Amino acid sequence: MASSSQAEPSPEVRQEQFEQGVAISLHLWLSLTIAVQNNWGGPSSADKRDWFAGAIAEMFPSFVDIAAAAESDNQKTTKSSASSREEPLAEDVEATLLQVMWDEFEANIDDDSEVEVADRIMKVRAQCAVGNFDLVEDLRRRWLATKGKKVVVEETAGGDQETDWESDDDDDDEDGDSDVDMDEAPALVAAPKEKPPPEVDEDGFTKVTRKKR
């Protein structure tokens, strides 16, 4: 009995790993990275992205609350509200990703990249639920490999634009620091709301357009 309980990660660890997986997934989303680098969400775009990650994580019931509710039910006490919360569907996550990008960054995502991000988050959720953090570790390695790099958008013939990660050690962009200043992994925080400029349209891997006024 002691060995099995020791082998399993605690609900707190599972929740922490899940939240990290969500945050890193958003940091690896090129559409969002472009929006943050260009301050589409205002001067606090990087903070807004961290708030975004927290909002997505909060769509799911906390593993800590689920464990507490299960214990409560086992003891025949009143059912916790957390136990009645249902897991969101991938479609719900996709819709929220699109809505926040539109509302907070004035970006219309029309390359279906939100489907990939939502799918990744759902896989992270499923793995963390059983105490498996392999995908989170893989995402963390990928994220660390992009630190110090910026997404560059280059015009091609026909007005289309291509996107790529470019190593950039000169921090001459005011938002360069805020985009890659995490130590080990992204954080989840609250963010203010503001809405400024640029317009970028990407072909192929990512395509982002600003909301028309």
Side-chain angles (χ1 to χ4, degrees):
M1 111 168 105
S3 59
S4 65
S5 61
Q6 266 193 341
E8 277 195 18
S10 68
E12 289 80 8
V13 170
R14 295 183 195 191
Q15 184 64 25
E16 180 184 357
Q17 289 291 321
F18 169 63
E19 291 177 359
Q20 286 294 302
V22 171
I24 296 170
S25 293
L26 292 192
H27 272 72
L28 289 173
W29 190 11
L30 281 181
S31 297
L32 180 53
T33 298
I34 291 167
V36 170
Q37 286 182 357
N38 288 284
N39 279 344
W40 291 2
S44 300
S45 290
D47 289 338
K48 197 170 281 191
R49 175 176 52 190
D50 294 334
W51 163 82
F52 191 179
I56 295 296
E58 285 175 4
M59 292 179 67
F60 297 80
S62 163
F63 287 123
V64 178
D65 290 342
I66 291 173
E71 185 177 345
S72 172
D73 291 344
N74 288 339
Q75 294 172 354
K76 310 282 188 198
T77 58
T78 313
K79 229 181 192 183
S80 160
S81 60
S83 64
S84 61
R85 277 190 65 193
E86 294 194 3
E87 299 274 329
L89 300 174
E91 290 79 3
D92 299 328
V93 178
E94 291 169 21
T96 303
L97 291 171
L98 290 176
Q99 191 63 51
V100 174
M101 287 296 286
W102 178 261
D103 290 344
E104 303 297 337
F105 296 94
E106 300 191 350
N108 178 34
I109 309 302
D110 56 4
D111 64 347
D112 292 331
S113 59
E114 79 283 354
V115 176
E116 181 183 351
V117 177
D119 180 63
R120 186 185 302 145
I121 289 171
M122 298 303 286
K123 286 176 180 173
V124 165
R125 179 69 178 183
Q127 285 196 7
C128 288
V130 295
N132 180 347
F133 310 129
D134 289 348
L135 180 53
V136 177
E137 287 303 323
D138 180 57
L139 292 173
R140 186 175 286 113
R141 281 191 294 270
R142 287 175 55 189
W143 179 76
L144 288 172
T146 68
K147 285 186 71 173
K149 297 182 180 180
K150 289 196 293 188
V151 175
V152 290
V153 182
E154 296 179 351
E155 295 243 354
T156 60
D160 290 330
Q161 296 172 331
E162 291 184 350
T163 308
D164 199 4
W165 290 98
E166 178 183 82
S167 182
D168 182 24
D169 295 322
D170 333 335
D171 288 313
D172 46 18
D173 246 313
E174 70 223 338
D175 49 297
D177 287 337
S178 63
D179 193 38
V180 291
D181 63 355
M182 313 289 180
D183 292 318
E184 183 181 303
L188 310 182
V189 298
K193 296 188 174 185
E194 288 162 48
K195 298 183 179 173
E199 178 167 4
V200 160
D201 205 315
E202 299 183 82
D203 186 31
F205 194 77
T206 306
K207 184 175 181 182
V208 184
T209 57
R210 287 195 68 229
K211 182 167 42 175
K212 300 285 182 194
R213 296 190 177 249

